[in-house]
Amino acid sequence: MTENSRRKFKLLIIEDDQVDQMATRRFIENQGLPYDYIFAGSIAEAQKALVEHEFDAVLADYTLGDGTIPEIFNLLVGTPFVVVTGSGDEEAAVEVMKSGAADYLIKDSSGDYLTIFPATIEKAIQRQQVEDELARYRDKLEDLVAERTAELQAANAKLHAEIRERKQA
């Protein structure tokens, strides 16, 4: 069991189909998954939830009654998200993966995709954590480089001043 699997994740599930919502809710509860989750049944509800709350991850149906999930990609920056669709549309899969989706799942009539989504969500969260840590290290390294560059420039200026003084002497 990983460190992530021991903590509770805040999950936004964007799904407009009531049957799929019930199946997802039942699966999460039957499996005892460590999720505090909110359902959004439309793009508008998802936008509101994303503005009002922070989520560890988002599981989103591609097509909703009032639009498609790419319409809110700008609100998902920095939040790992997995897109689910009822059809195996390869163009949509390519679009969402290029836009930063951690993964793309296809709903099957037997609901087997539900057994895959917990591992997919955890993997997406882990990847985001690694990316965030790398960004922190990069920022720290850039700060150290800037600091050292300033020190070297100051030492160089001091050396040039000393050389000028010696030339004048």
Side-chain angles (χ1 to χ4, degrees), residues 130-143:
V130 167
E131 288 175 6
D132 291 347
E133 188 172 350
L134 284 172
R136 283 191 299 277
Y137 283 133
R138 184 188 63 241
D139 292 345
K140 185 174 181 173
L141 183 59
E142 287 174 357
D143 290 345

Side-chain angles (χ1 to χ4, degrees), residues 75-94:
L75 296 174
L76 296 172
V77 174
T79 302
F81 64 99
V82 174
V83 176
V84 182
T85 187
S87 63
D89 182 350
E90 291 174 7
E91 285 181 33
V94 169

